[in-house]
Amino acid sequence: MDVEAGIRTLVFNGLHTDEETVRGILDAGEEAFPRLARVATYDEYWWARNGWAPICAIHLLAEIGHRWAPLAVNTAILDHHGDTGDWLLEEAPHVLARMGPGAVPATAALMRHACTDAYVRVAAAEALVITALRHQDAKPGIVASIRDAAQREADADMRMMLVDSLLNLRDPDLYGYLRDAVETGFISSDYYDVPTLDDVYEGRLPPSTTSSPVELLRIFSYHPGYRYGPGGPVDMFDDLLVRRLVDAGHDRKTGRNEPCPCGSG
């Protein structure tokens, strides 16, 4: 397959790129990386008529697993998180985690990036937790990184979300830390309290993050798991609606077991 022609098709068709073209780009592996990285990070592709092409390129970058893929993906997210809608919290954690333990340093840096959007940092923290659940040898370093970020965090809401991400590990060694975080006021008990903590640890409440793999190619409309796009079950690019929902979400904290204000669950 002509990689350049395949990526031109991706740029033109975005979500509706055919399976043969997508598979051909993936099969090209590292040869496709430089062009995919440009599509994912250059403003011209985000501002083009088909704004889906960069997000599709991000998914393919994570699948290819090039050593520079974490840098390209993080750059795209940092520079264009405002253009991604629901994708940022629904898909980005799985995209970041797909790159495996080798991407942990870059993902941890994204989580600690105090100058970026809170949703970016939450997505990065969730990606780290997914990676820890899949790769037990990486868990100690990931736990230490999230705890350190929480300890240094000045914003109370962000600190709460970082600590909460650790609850999803249901690690017995973290129970004391999490309980102390609530009882000492390190995080607000309005978000979750000790009974909620116990419910998660004892299996009465499911964790909000699991290690179950997500098929990254479901971003494409040919895939049976496809659910994004104009007119689909989740239309990420209804900009007015997204902005209203995000603004509403900033008005108050959402409890751990409350539905997301964006309506996604």
mmCIF file of all heavy atoms in Angstrom, residues 61-105:
data_model
loop_
_atom_site.group_PDB
_atom_site.id
_atom_site.type_symbol
_atom_site.label_atom_id
_atom_site.label_comp_id
_atom_site.label_asym_id
_atom_site.label_seq_id
_atom_site.Cartn_x
_atom_site.Cartn_y
_atom_site.Cartn_z
ATOM 1 N N LEU A 61 -1.519 6.160 15.871
ATOM 2 C CA LEU A 61 -0.206 6.315 16.490
ATOM 3 C C LEU A 61 -0.067 5.408 17.711
ATOM 4 O O LEU A 61 0.968 4.769 17.914
ATOM 5 C CB LEU A 61 0.021 7.771 16.902
ATOM 6 C CG LEU A 61 0.332 8.760 15.785
ATOM 7 C CD1 LEU A 61 0.229 10.187 16.306
ATOM 8 C CD2 LEU A 61 1.729 8.510 15.212
ATOM 9 N N ALA A 62 -1.118 5.355 18.524
ATOM 10 C CA ALA A 62 -1.077 4.510 19.720
ATOM 11 C C ALA A 62 -1.019 3.035 19.342
ATOM 12 O O ALA A 62 -0.347 2.235 20.006
ATOM 13 C CB ALA A 62 -2.293 4.785 20.603
ATOM 14 N N GLU A 63 -1.709 2.658 18.264
ATOM 15 C CA GLU A 63 -1.692 1.269 17.813
ATOM 16 C C GLU A 63 -0.320 0.878 17.269
ATOM 17 O O GLU A 63 0.172 -0.222 17.526
ATOM 18 C CB GLU A 63 -2.752 1.046 16.737
ATOM 19 C CG GLU A 63 -4.168 0.919 17.260
ATOM 20 C CD GLU A 63 -4.406 -0.422 17.942
ATOM 21 O OE1 GLU A 63 -3.753 -1.410 17.593
ATOM 22 O OE2 GLU A 63 -5.252 -0.468 18.855
ATOM 23 N N ILE A 64 0.317 1.776 16.528
ATOM 24 C CA ILE A 64 1.616 1.468 15.939
ATOM 25 C C ILE A 64 2.688 1.336 17.015
ATOM 26 O O ILE A 64 3.566 0.472 16.941
ATOM 27 C CB ILE A 64 1.999 2.549 14.906
ATOM 28 C CG1 ILE A 64 1.131 2.385 13.656
ATOM 29 C CG2 ILE A 64 3.477 2.454 14.530
ATOM 30 C CD1 ILE A 64 1.289 3.497 12.637
ATOM 31 N N GLY A 65 2.605 2.191 18.039
ATOM 32 C CA GLY A 65 3.526 2.050 19.165
ATOM 33 C C GLY A 65 4.949 2.499 18.895
ATOM 34 O O GLY A 65 5.889 1.994 19.503
ATOM 35 N N HIS A 66 5.145 3.438 17.997
ATOM 36 C CA HIS A 66 6.475 3.996 17.732
ATOM 37 C C HIS A 66 7.033 4.611 19.015
ATOM 38 O O HIS A 66 6.293 5.106 19.865
ATOM 39 C CB HIS A 66 6.354 5.058 16.639
ATOM 40 C CG HIS A 66 7.644 5.585 16.108
ATOM 41 N ND1 HIS A 66 8.364 6.554 16.760
ATOM 42 C CD2 HIS A 66 8.347 5.267 14.986
ATOM 43 C CE1 HIS A 66 9.449 6.837 16.059
ATOM 44 N NE2 HIS A 66 9.462 6.077 14.976
ATOM 45 N N ARG A 67 8.347 4.607 19.150
ATOM 46 C CA ARG A 67 8.946 5.112 20.399
ATOM 47 C C ARG A 67 8.634 6.588 20.648
ATOM 48 O O ARG A 67 8.662 7.051 21.791
ATOM 49 C CB ARG A 67 10.462 4.891 20.377
ATOM 50 C CG ARG A 67 11.205 5.655 19.296
ATOM 51 C CD ARG A 67 12.671 5.237 19.236
ATOM 52 N NE ARG A 67 13.434 5.951 18.227
ATOM 53 C CZ ARG A 67 13.414 5.662 16.941
ATOM 54 N NH1 ARG A 67 12.645 4.683 16.493
ATOM 55 N NH2 ARG A 67 14.143 6.352 16.076
ATOM 56 N N TRP A 68 8.355 7.347 19.572
ATOM 57 C CA TRP A 68 8.017 8.759 19.742
ATOM 58 C C TRP A 68 6.513 8.994 19.758
ATOM 59 O O TRP A 68 6.073 10.148 19.825
ATOM 60 C CB TRP A 68 8.656 9.588 18.624
ATOM 61 C CG TRP A 68 10.153 9.619 18.679
ATOM 62 C CD1 TRP A 68 11.020 9.073 17.778
ATOM 63 C CD2 TRP A 68 10.959 10.200 19.702
ATOM 64 N NE1 TRP A 68 12.323 9.288 18.172
ATOM 65 C CE2 TRP A 68 12.321 9.974 19.357
ATOM 66 C CE3 TRP A 68 10.685 10.874 20.888
ATOM 67 C CZ2 TRP A 68 13.372 10.410 20.150
ATOM 68 C CZ3 TRP A 68 11.739 11.315 21.681
ATOM 69 C CH2 TRP A 68 13.058 11.070 21.305
ATOM 70 N N ALA A 69 5.728 7.934 19.703
ATOM 71 C CA ALA A 69 4.270 8.098 19.692
ATOM 72 C C ALA A 69 3.758 8.846 20.929
ATOM 73 O O ALA A 69 2.893 9.721 20.800
ATOM 74 C CB ALA A 69 3.578 6.752 19.551
ATOM 75 N N PRO A 70 4.258 8.540 22.157
ATOM 76 C CA PRO A 70 3.753 9.286 23.321
ATOM 77 C C PRO A 70 3.969 10.793 23.197
ATOM 78 O O PRO A 70 3.103 11.583 23.595
ATOM 79 C CB PRO A 70 4.558 8.702 24.491
ATOM 80 C CG PRO A 70 4.905 7.318 24.047
ATOM 81 C CD PRO A 70 5.162 7.445 22.568
ATOM 82 N N LEU A 71 5.098 11.198 22.639
ATOM 83 C CA LEU A 71 5.353 12.633 22.476
ATOM 84 C C LEU A 71 4.365 13.244 21.493
ATOM 85 O O LEU A 71 3.795 14.317 21.758
ATOM 86 C CB LEU A 71 6.783 12.856 21.988
ATOM 87 C CG LEU A 71 7.170 14.315 21.695
ATOM 88 C CD1 LEU A 71 7.044 15.166 22.951
ATOM 89 C CD2 LEU A 71 8.592 14.394 21.127
ATOM 90 N N ALA A 72 4.131 12.565 20.370
ATOM 91 C CA ALA A 72 3.197 13.088 19.379
ATOM 92 C C ALA A 72 1.778 13.161 19.933
ATOM 93 O O ALA A 72 1.078 14.169 19.761
ATOM 94 C CB ALA A 72 3.236 12.222 18.116
ATOM 95 N N VAL A 73 1.349 12.095 20.614
ATOM 96 C CA VAL A 73 -0.002 12.063 21.172
ATOM 97 C C VAL A 73 -0.174 13.127 22.253
ATOM 98 O O VAL A 73 -1.177 13.855 22.280
ATOM 99 C CB VAL A 73 -0.322 10.657 21.723
ATOM 100 C CG1 VAL A 73 -1.634 10.663 22.503
ATOM 101 C CG2 VAL A 73 -0.390 9.646 20.580
ATOM 102 N N ASN A 74 0.802 13.252 23.145
ATOM 103 C CA ASN A 74 0.702 14.254 24.204
ATOM 104 C C ASN A 74 0.680 15.670 23.637
ATOM 105 O O ASN A 74 -0.040 16.549 24.129
ATOM 106 C CB ASN A 74 1.871 14.108 25.185
ATOM 107 C CG ASN A 74 1.703 12.920 26.108
ATOM 108 O OD1 ASN A 74 0.797 12.120 25.931
ATOM 109 N ND2 ASN A 74 2.574 12.798 27.087
ATOM 110 N N THR A 75 1.491 15.916 22.620
ATOM 111 C CA THR A 75 1.501 17.234 21.987
ATOM 112 C C THR A 75 0.141 17.557 21.401
ATOM 113 O O THR A 75 -0.387 18.669 21.566
ATOM 114 C CB THR A 75 2.570 17.290 20.881
ATOM 115 O OG1 THR A 75 3.857 17.059 21.454
ATOM 116 C CG2 THR A 75 2.571 18.650 20.185
ATOM 117 N N ALA A 76 -0.461 16.583 20.725
ATOM 118 C CA ALA A 76 -1.789 16.792 20.143
ATOM 119 C C ALA A 76 -2.818 17.094 21.222
ATOM 120 O O ALA A 76 -3.638 18.010 21.080
ATOM 121 C CB ALA A 76 -2.196 15.553 19.343
ATOM 122 N N ILE A 77 -2.784 16.341 22.319
ATOM 123 C CA ILE A 77 -3.756 16.543 23.395
ATOM 124 C C ILE A 77 -3.548 17.892 24.079
ATOM 125 O O ILE A 77 -4.507 18.631 24.338
ATOM 126 C CB ILE A 77 -3.673 15.394 24.414
ATOM 127 C CG1 ILE A 77 -4.195 14.095 23.782
ATOM 128 C CG2 ILE A 77 -4.477 15.713 25.676
ATOM 129 C CD1 ILE A 77 -4.011 12.860 24.655
ATOM 130 N N LEU A 78 -2.310 18.233 24.364
ATOM 131 C CA LEU A 78 -2.036 19.505 25.039
ATOM 132 C C LEU A 78 -2.458 20.705 24.192
ATOM 133 O O LEU A 78 -3.021 21.670 24.702
ATOM 134 C CB LEU A 78 -0.546 19.615 25.378
ATOM 135 C CG LEU A 78 -0.062 18.814 26.583
ATOM 136 C CD1 LEU A 78 1.460 18.839 26.656
ATOM 137 C CD2 LEU A 78 -0.657 19.349 27.882
ATOM 138 N N ASP A 79 -2.174 20.631 22.906
ATOM 139 C CA ASP A 79 -2.450 21.778 22.042
ATOM 140 C C ASP A 79 -3.895 21.873 21.597
ATOM 141 O O ASP A 79 -4.360 22.966 21.246
ATOM 142 C CB ASP A 79 -1.551 21.717 20.794
ATOM 143 C CG ASP A 79 -0.083 21.975 21.112
ATOM 144 O OD1 ASP A 79 0.210 22.393 22.251
ATOM 145 O OD2 ASP A 79 0.764 21.749 20.226
ATOM 146 N N HIS A 80 -4.612 20.754 21.608
ATOM 147 C CA HIS A 80 -5.948 20.762 21.009
ATOM 148 C C HIS A 80 -7.014 20.093 21.868
ATOM 149 O O HIS A 80 -8.042 19.651 21.335
ATOM 150 C CB HIS A 80 -5.893 20.081 19.635
ATOM 151 C CG HIS A 80 -5.098 20.858 18.630
ATOM 152 N ND1 HIS A 80 -5.583 21.967 17.983
ATOM 153 C CD2 HIS A 80 -3.814 20.701 18.192
ATOM 154 C CE1 HIS A 80 -4.665 22.459 17.173
ATOM 155 N NE2 HIS A 80 -3.583 21.710 17.280
ATOM 156 N N HIS A 81 -6.794 20.020 23.173
ATOM 157 C CA HIS A 81 -7.785 19.351 24.019
ATOM 158 C C HIS A 81 -9.149 20.031 23.942
ATOM 159 O O HIS A 81 -10.186 19.386 24.111
ATOM 160 C CB HIS A 81 -7.313 19.266 25.472
ATOM 161 C CG HIS A 81 -6.997 20.593 26.086
ATOM 162 N ND1 HIS A 81 -7.959 21.424 26.603
ATOM 163 C CD2 HIS A 81 -5.814 21.232 26.271
ATOM 164 C CE1 HIS A 81 -7.389 22.518 27.089
ATOM 165 N NE2 HIS A 81 -6.088 22.428 26.899
ATOM 166 N N GLY A 82 -9.166 21.329 23.661
ATOM 167 C CA GLY A 82 -10.437 22.036 23.546
ATOM 168 C C GLY A 82 -11.233 21.661 22.315
ATOM 169 O O GLY A 82 -12.408 22.014 22.197
ATOM 170 N N ASP A 83 -10.605 20.945 21.389
ATOM 171 C CA ASP A 83 -11.270 20.543 20.154
ATOM 172 C C ASP A 83 -11.713 19.083 20.168
ATOM 173 O O ASP A 83 -12.149 18.572 19.131
ATOM 174 C CB ASP A 83 -10.314 20.739 18.961
ATOM 175 C CG ASP A 83 -9.842 22.175 18.824
ATOM 176 O OD1 ASP A 83 -10.688 23.088 18.940
ATOM 177 O OD2 ASP A 83 -8.636 22.385 18.611
ATOM 178 N N THR A 84 -11.603 18.420 21.297
ATOM 179 C CA THR A 84 -11.827 16.974 21.318
ATOM 180 C C THR A 84 -13.151 16.548 21.931
ATOM 181 O O THR A 84 -13.506 15.369 21.864
ATOM 182 C CB THR A 84 -10.695 16.257 22.085
ATOM 183 O OG1 THR A 84 -10.642 16.752 23.429
ATOM 184 C CG2 THR A 84 -9.339 16.490 21.418
ATOM 185 N N GLY A 85 -13.872 17.451 22.577
ATOM 186 C CA GLY A 85 -15.163 17.091 23.140
ATOM 187 C C GLY A 85 -15.070 15.944 24.136
ATOM 188 O O GLY A 85 -14.126 15.839 24.923
ATOM 189 N N ASP A 86 -16.058 15.051 24.076
ATOM 190 C CA ASP A 86 -16.124 13.935 25.021
ATOM 191 C C ASP A 86 -14.978 12.947 24.857
ATOM 192 O O ASP A 86 -14.711 12.151 25.757
ATOM 193 C CB ASP A 86 -17.441 13.168 24.845
ATOM 194 C CG ASP A 86 -18.646 13.967 25.312
ATOM 195 O OD1 ASP A 86 -18.448 14.940 26.045
ATOM 196 O OD2 ASP A 86 -19.776 13.613 24.928
ATOM 197 N N TRP A 87 -14.326 12.970 23.711
ATOM 198 C CA TRP A 87 -13.231 12.033 23.450
ATOM 199 C C TRP A 87 -12.171 12.094 24.548
ATOM 200 O O TRP A 87 -11.589 11.069 24.906
ATOM 201 C CB TRP A 87 -12.589 12.353 22.100
ATOM 202 C CG TRP A 87 -11.417 11.502 21.758
ATOM 203 C CD1 TRP A 87 -11.425 10.297 21.115
ATOM 204 C CD2 TRP A 87 -10.033 11.783 22.039
ATOM 205 N NE1 TRP A 87 -10.145 9.805 20.977
ATOM 206 C CE2 TRP A 87 -9.275 10.701 21.533
ATOM 207 C CE3 TRP A 87 -9.373 12.834 22.655
ATOM 208 C CZ2 TRP A 87 -7.884 10.648 21.642
ATOM 209 C CZ3 TRP A 87 -7.987 12.793 22.768
ATOM 210 C CH2 TRP A 87 -7.262 11.702 22.257
ATOM 211 N N LEU A 88 -11.950 13.269 25.105
ATOM 212 C CA LEU A 88 -10.860 13.442 26.062
ATOM 213 C C LEU A 88 -10.995 12.525 27.270
ATOM 214 O O LEU A 88 -10.014 11.922 27.718
ATOM 215 C CB LEU A 88 -10.793 14.907 26.506
ATOM 216 C CG LEU A 88 -9.648 15.279 27.451
ATOM 217 C CD1 LEU A 88 -8.297 14.997 26.812
ATOM 218 C CD2 LEU A 88 -9.742 16.743 27.845
ATOM 219 N N LEU A 89 -12.191 12.386 27.804
ATOM 220 C CA LEU A 89 -12.379 11.530 28.975
ATOM 221 C C LEU A 89 -12.824 10.121 28.614
ATOM 222 O O LEU A 89 -12.579 9.183 29.367
ATOM 223 C CB LEU A 89 -13.395 12.168 29.932
ATOM 224 C CG LEU A 89 -12.909 13.415 30.665
ATOM 225 C CD1 LEU A 89 -13.994 13.950 31.592
ATOM 226 C CD2 LEU A 89 -11.654 13.135 31.469
ATOM 227 N N GLU A 90 -13.460 9.956 27.462
ATOM 228 C CA GLU A 90 -13.976 8.632 27.111
ATOM 229 C C GLU A 90 -12.939 7.761 26.408
ATOM 230 O O GLU A 90 -12.924 6.542 26.579
ATOM 231 C CB GLU A 90 -15.221 8.774 26.238
ATOM 232 C CG GLU A 90 -16.383 9.407 26.991
ATOM 233 C CD GLU A 90 -17.677 9.320 26.207
ATOM 234 O OE1 GLU A 90 -17.644 8.893 25.036
ATOM 235 O OE2 GLU A 90 -18.715 9.675 26.767
ATOM 236 N N GLU A 91 -12.106 8.366 25.579
ATOM 237 C CA GLU A 91 -11.182 7.588 24.764
ATOM 238 C C GLU A 91 -9.713 7.841 25.091
ATOM 239 O O GLU A 91 -8.897 6.920 25.024
ATOM 240 C CB GLU A 91 -11.415 7.886 23.272
ATOM 241 C CG GLU A 91 -12.787 7.508 22.776
ATOM 242 C CD GLU A 91 -12.961 6.002 22.617
ATOM 243 O OE1 GLU A 91 -11.949 5.269 22.598
ATOM 244 O OE2 GLU A 91 -14.111 5.563 22.507
ATOM 245 N N ALA A 92 -9.362 9.081 25.403
ATOM 246 C CA ALA A 92 -7.943 9.419 25.604
ATOM 247 C C ALA A 92 -7.256 8.530 26.642
ATOM 248 O O ALA A 92 -6.106 8.125 26.421
ATOM 249 C CB ALA A 92 -7.795 10.893 25.971
ATOM 250 N N PRO A 93 -7.886 8.199 27.786
ATOM 251 C CA PRO A 93 -7.189 7.321 28.744
ATOM 252 C C PRO A 93 -6.797 5.975 28.126
ATOM 253 O O PRO A 93 -5.700 5.463 28.392
ATOM 254 C CB PRO A 93 -8.215 7.143 29.871
ATOM 255 C CG PRO A 93 -9.064 8.364 29.799
ATOM 256 C CD PRO A 93 -9.171 8.670 28.342
ATOM 257 N N HIS A 94 -7.670 5.412 27.311
ATOM 258 C CA HIS A 94 -7.382 4.116 26.691
ATOM 259 C C HIS A 94 -6.316 4.248 25.602
ATOM 260 O O HIS A 94 -5.502 3.344 25.412
ATOM 261 C CB HIS A 94 -8.667 3.512 26.133
ATOM 262 C CG HIS A 94 -9.706 3.269 27.184
ATOM 263 N ND1 HIS A 94 -9.618 2.216 28.081
ATOM 264 C CD2 HIS A 94 -10.818 3.959 27.512
ATOM 265 C CE1 HIS A 94 -10.658 2.260 28.901
ATOM 266 N NE2 HIS A 94 -11.389 3.303 28.583
ATOM 267 N N VAL A 95 -6.332 5.378 24.903
ATOM 268 C CA VAL A 95 -5.300 5.628 23.896
ATOM 269 C C VAL A 95 -3.934 5.722 24.563
ATOM 270 O O VAL A 95 -2.954 5.098 24.135
ATOM 271 C CB VAL A 95 -5.612 6.915 23.113
ATOM 272 C CG1 VAL A 95 -4.420 7.332 22.258
ATOM 273 C CG2 VAL A 95 -6.844 6.723 22.234
ATOM 274 N N LEU A 96 -3.851 6.497 25.633
ATOM 275 C CA LEU A 96 -2.582 6.668 26.345
ATOM 276 C C LEU A 96 -2.107 5.345 26.944
ATOM 277 O O LEU A 96 -0.919 5.020 26.893
ATOM 278 C CB LEU A 96 -2.732 7.731 27.437
ATOM 279 C CG LEU A 96 -2.950 9.166 26.938
ATOM 280 C CD1 LEU A 96 -3.451 10.049 28.079
ATOM 281 C CD2 LEU A 96 -1.672 9.742 26.349
ATOM 282 N N ALA A 97 -3.036 4.578 27.514
ATOM 283 C CA ALA A 97 -2.662 3.308 28.135
ATOM 284 C C ALA A 97 -2.237 2.277 27.094
ATOM 285 O O ALA A 97 -1.423 1.394 27.393
ATOM 286 C CB ALA A 97 -3.828 2.767 28.963
ATOM 287 N N ARG A 98 -2.779 2.389 25.886
ATOM 288 C CA ARG A 98 -2.449 1.421 24.832
ATOM 289 C C ARG A 98 -0.956 1.422 24.518
ATOM 290 O O ARG A 98 -0.404 0.415 24.064
ATOM 291 C CB ARG A 98 -3.262 1.740 23.576
ATOM 292 C CG ARG A 98 -2.977 0.826 22.378
ATOM 293 C CD ARG A 98 -3.488 -0.574 22.650
ATOM 294 N NE ARG A 98 -3.280 -1.437 21.500
ATOM 295 C CZ ARG A 98 -2.144 -2.105 21.247
ATOM 296 N NH1 ARG A 98 -1.114 -1.995 22.080
ATOM 297 N NH2 ARG A 98 -2.047 -2.870 20.182
ATOM 298 N N MET A 99 -0.286 2.532 24.778
ATOM 299 C CA MET A 99 1.140 2.626 24.457
ATOM 300 C C MET A 99 2.019 1.929 25.481
ATOM 301 O O MET A 99 3.231 1.851 25.311
ATOM 302 C CB MET A 99 1.527 4.093 24.272
ATOM 303 C CG MET A 99 0.870 4.707 23.039
ATOM 304 S SD MET A 99 1.346 6.424 22.702
ATOM 305 C CE MET A 99 0.363 7.289 23.928
ATOM 306 N N GLY A 100 1.416 1.426 26.565
ATOM 307 C CA GLY A 100 2.114 0.551 27.494
ATOM 308 C C GLY A 100 3.038 1.239 28.480
ATOM 309 O O GLY A 100 3.110 2.466 28.559
ATOM 310 N N PRO A 101 3.775 0.433 29.242
ATOM 311 C CA PRO A 101 4.653 0.986 30.288
ATOM 312 C C PRO A 101 5.695 1.959 29.756
ATOM 313 O O PRO A 101 6.132 2.861 30.478
ATOM 314 C CB PRO A 101 5.317 -0.270 30.878
ATOM 315 C CG PRO A 101 4.360 -1.376 30.589
ATOM 316 C CD PRO A 101 3.752 -1.041 29.262
ATOM 317 N N GLY A 102 6.099 1.786 28.498
ATOM 318 C CA GLY A 102 7.090 2.695 27.944
ATOM 319 C C GLY A 102 6.610 4.129 27.863
ATOM 320 O O GLY A 102 7.423 5.065 27.813
ATOM 321 N N ALA A 103 5.292 4.324 27.858
ATOM 322 C CA ALA A 103 4.720 5.672 27.780
ATOM 323 C C ALA A 103 4.460 6.275 29.148
ATOM 324 O O ALA A 103 4.026 7.428 29.242
ATOM 325 C CB ALA A 103 3.416 5.633 26.984
ATOM 326 N N VAL A 104 4.718 5.514 30.220
ATOM 327 C CA VAL A 104 4.394 5.998 31.571
ATOM 328 C C VAL A 104 5.077 7.325 31.901
ATOM 329 O O VAL A 104 4.429 8.236 32.428
ATOM 330 C CB VAL A 104 4.717 4.923 32.633
ATOM 331 C CG1 VAL A 104 4.760 5.517 34.035
ATOM 332 C CG2 VAL A 104 3.681 3.804 32.565
ATOM 333 N N PRO A 105 6.379 7.510 31.650
ATOM 334 C CA PRO A 105 6.988 8.807 31.985
ATOM 335 C C PRO A 105 6.298 9.988 31.292
ATOM 336 O O PRO A 105 6.058 11.030 31.917
ATOM 337 C CB PRO A 105 8.439 8.644 31.518
ATOM 338 C CG PRO A 105 8.688 7.179 31.586
ATOM 339 C CD PRO A 105 7.395 6.544 31.165
#
